[in-house]
Amino acid sequence: QVNMVESGGGLVQAGGSLRLSCDFSGSIFNSSNLAWYRQAPGKQREVVAGFYGAGNIHYEDVVKGRFTISRDNTKNMMFLQMNSLKPEDTGVYFCNTPGGYVAGYWGQGTQVTVSS
């Protein structure tokens, strides 16, 4: 089992910024579609933003205008720039492909904590 590797999380005050990184070089699944997910305490994992199909980017309404997703395929990396962070953005952030999602293969994630 080869997992995604997430990094860049931390503790930040509300209104601050963080940049998350995802190394998907170890994924055994097709990485054309790739997404960021988060799991808040006591809640189910939910998608935050992702690449779907050629040139299509999706953002959940709760992060639209604040988060920016990008990727560098030459380095098998994906990023999530998070600005204007809110306490409700707190959670563990994961990246995954659709294949990894279905197979249940997840990395360890990276913890983001936003204090009020």
Side-chain angles (χ1 to χ4, degrees), residues 100-113:
Y101 181 100
V102 171
Y105 292 174
W106 294 91
Q108 292 191 336
T110 186
Q111 175 71 48
V112 171
T113 303

Side-chain angles (χ1 to χ4, degrees), residues 30-107:
N30 184 297
S31 57
S32 296
N33 293 342
L34 203 55
W36 282 101
Y37 301 81
R38 72 182 176 196
Q39 187 164 19
K43 295 187 177 181
Q44 288 190 332
R45 200 168 297 177
E46 60 180 5
V47 67
V48 173
F51 293 94
Y52 300 99
N56 295 321
I57 296 176
H58 169 75
Y59 294 98
E60 289 296 302
D61 287 345
V62 291
V63 304
K64 200 172 291 184
R66 300 187 297 121
F67 290 11
T68 303
I69 191 173
S70 62
R71 64 191 293 172
D72 182 346
N73 290 331
T74 66
K75 298 179 180 178
N76 291 322
M77 296 290 293
M78 180 175 66
F79 307 96
L80 187 66
Q81 178 66 43
M82 306 187 297
N83 299 328
S84 303
L85 282 162
K86 303 176 180 181
E88 51 264 43
D89 294 320
T90 293
V92 182
Y93 284 69
F94 303 86
C95 58
N96 216 343
T97 63
Y101 181 100
V102 171
Y105 292 174
W106 294 91

